[in-house]
Amino acid sequence: MSQKRAFITGITGQDGSYLAELLLSKDYEVHGLVRRVALEDPENRLSRLASIRSQLHFHSGSLESYASIHHVLGRIQPDECYHLAAQSFVTYSFDDEFTTLQANINGTHYLLSALKSIAPNCLFYFAGSSEMFGQADEVPQNERTRFHPRSTYGISKVAGFELTRNYREAYGLRACNGILFNHESPRRGFEFVTRKITSGVARILAGKSDEVRLGNLEARRDWGHAREYVAAMWLMLQQPEPDDYVIATGETHSVADVVEVAFDAAGLDWRKYVVCDRDLHRPSEVNVLSGDASKARRELGWEPRIHFRELILEMLAHDCQAQGVTLATGAWTDSKQ
Ligand code: G4F
């Protein structure tokens, strides 16, 4: 059988980099869409891909342009397309609703439309989000839970979800939606709360900072490990029929729990360092998200193995190592178990 060709948008991000590694390990030819500036500054912008860069095929293009997407897809003719690129920071979507909606909705629409005309047999994965549930009227949330997004980010993801479903139903595209709950790792962006906390603790230990400024400590999320979540993306596309799946651990923890685990592991009293800043609260918050991934467990055989504490300790250990500090309480050892 000839080598399968995969195309990833958002390949430079946390999920894109883990997915590229997974697909290479399965002997795929892996192509990624990147901005021109990334190719001009690979040390910084392609840093998550450093160890596999030479094995990847990069295509400069923009999700803002249908012509650009059409051109790139025409050259690659992929067997599988993973659409991960997005303006993915919920906080920012309150500051710039227009960019969030335009980039996230149009990008998805352009890709689906181009695939329909160029590669209608290509399997398609859309990165949906638990933010689509927003103020959900049931806990835990599953594939049948009603959407009630609380940000333009969530709204843009609902639109992408519905576009994906519509291209499946109307044009027979083999398109799947993953409804992924929060997933983190040492490759997480520093603006997201888990990484903000673990990197903040590491900076305090290194003597470079004396506070971590946070918003709503009571918000609860279902946090899993990104490396395990990209495996679920691939599994979805290997099913005989395209469908939609929730991917989650089923465990929820508050932001305060992340704070406690990270500061405790560092031997620090968080009360001395955490500053609660009202300005960092969101205008409309999603208070609690908890996923029911039983369909994925049943149909994909997917199961999360890395739990909350282990995840946070792995991130903390990584950030401490980057700052050149050692954890007194052995979090590094914990993370390797
Ligand atoms: O880490 P967060 O910014 O992630 P959020 O908003 O849940 O979204 C992430 O997960 C989604 C999957 O469900 C993705 F679709 C999305 O792209 C993104 O990856 O915030 C988590 C919680 C929020 O309730 C926020 O209000 O932490 C709270 N929080 C409290 N203080 C903070 C802060 N969040 C951030 N980013 N920074 C703070 O200082």
Side-chain angles (χ1 to χ4, degrees), residues 177-241:
N177 284 299
I179 308 176
L180 271 54
F181 282 62
N182 297 49
H183 43 288
E184 322 289 308
S185 75
R187 298 184 191 175
R188 190 55 150 150
F190 290 97
E191 65 276 35
F192 299 97
V193 77
T194 51
R195 191 79 197 277
K196 187 173 174 182
I197 294 167
T198 59
S199 63
V201 169
R203 285 175 57 79
I204 292 170
L205 286 176
K208 294 182 181 165
S209 166
D210 56 10
E211 66 172 37
V212 180
R213 194 165 280 271
L214 294 171
N216 181 11
L217 296 185
E218 303 309 315
R220 299 182 71 81
R221 290 289 185 277
D222 179 331
W223 277 292
H225 198 298
R227 196 191 298 108
E228 297 190 327
Y229 284 40
V230 303
M233 298 175 187
W234 178 78
L235 283 168
M236 283 179 217
L237 296 200
Q238 312 314 308
Q239 300 313 300
E241 295 299 327

Side-chain angles (χ1 to χ4, degrees), residues 49-331:
L49 300 168
S51 63
I52 54 170
R53 219 164 81 195
S54 61
Q55 300 170 65
L56 301 172
H57 304 265
F58 294 111
H59 302 264
S60 125
S62 165
L63 279 166
E64 286 157 40
S65 154
Y66 179 79
S68 165
I69 296 301
H70 195 277
H71 177 71
V72 170
L73 283 174
R75 277 174 54 196
I76 302 171
Q77 291 287 335
D79 299 296
E80 298 179 13
C81 172
Y82 297 84
H83 178 33
L84 313 183
Q87 189 304 93
S88 64
F89 186 33
V90 176
T91 304
Y92 180 72
S93 74
F94 290 105
D95 296 334
D96 191 347
E97 301 172 7
F98 291 88
T99 302
T100 302
L101 288 169
Q102 276 162 23
N104 293 2
I105 299 176
N106 290 348
T108 307
H109 192 191
Y110 295 161
L111 259 178
L112 284 164
S113 176
L115 280 177
K116 174 174 155 253
S117 66
I118 293 174
N121 293 322
C122 178
L123 306 170
F124 179 77
Y125 172 85
F126 174 65
S129 160
S130 55
E131 282 293 306
M132 300 189 301
F133 294 124
Q135 189 156 300
D137 39 30
E138 60 180 352
V139 181
Q141 295 87 40
N142 62 36
E143 293 79 5
R144 292 176 306 284
T145 303
R146 194 174 61 89
F147 295 144
H148 182 163
R150 299 268 284 167
S151 61
T152 47
Y153 170 79
I155 293 167
S156 74
K157 286 290 174 178
V158 172
F161 176 96
E162 295 297 356
L163 279 165
T164 301
R165 183 154 64 180
N166 188 246
Y167 269 72
R168 180 167 78 214
E169 292 174 356
Y171 308 115
L173 235 65
R174 297 167 67 196
C176 299
N177 284 299
I179 308 176
L180 271 54
F181 282 62
N182 297 49
H183 43 288
E184 322 289 308
S185 75
R187 298 184 191 175
R188 190 55 150 150
F190 290 97
E191 65 276 35
F192 299 97
V193 77
T194 51
R195 191 79 197 277
K196 187 173 174 182
I197 294 167
T198 59
S199 63
V201 169
R203 285 175 57 79
I204 292 170
L205 286 176
K208 294 182 181 165
S209 166
D210 56 10
E211 66 172 37
V212 180
R213 194 165 280 271
L214 294 171
N216 181 11
L217 296 185
E218 303 309 315
R220 299 182 71 81
R221 290 289 185 277
D222 179 331
W223 277 292
H225 198 298
R227 196 191 298 108
E228 297 190 327
Y229 284 40
V230 303
M233 298 175 187
W234 178 78
L235 283 168
M236 283 179 217
L237 296 200
Q238 312 314 308
Q239 300 313 300
E241 295 299 327
D243 206 344
D244 308 325
Y245 296 90
V246 160
I247 301 298
T249 68
E251 258 181 59
T252 63
H253 293 274
S254 64
V255 173
D257 292 339
V258 181
V259 165
E260 252 182 63
V261 168
F263 277 86
D264 277 3
L268 299 171
D269 178 358
W270 67 267
R271 288 166 202 83
K272 293 187 187 153
Y273 301 98
V274 171
V275 178
C276 292
D277 185 342
R278 284 294 314 172
D279 289 344
L280 295 176
H281 284 235
R282 294 174 181 173
S284 48
E285 175 65 286
V286 172
N287 294 318
V288 56
L289 287 173
S290 167
D292 169 7
S294 42
K295 179 175 170 185
R297 193 167 290 128
R298 206 171 49 244
E299 296 185 12
L300 308 180
W302 179 85
E303 201 150 6
R305 292 204 159 72
I306 301 173
H307 293 277
F308 175 71
R309 186 178 152 76
E310 190 183 350
L311 168 66
I312 301 303
L313 292 183
E314 182 187 334
M315 294 172 70
L316 178 64
H318 175 92
D319 287 333
C320 285
Q321 205 177 40
Q323 291 294 340
V325 291
T326 324
L327 282 174
T329 53

Side-chain angles (χ1 to χ4, degrees), residues 2-13:
S2 65
Q3 194 180 27
K4 281 194 194 167
R5 217 171 289 146
F7 176 57
I8 306 174
T9 73
I11 194 169
T12 59

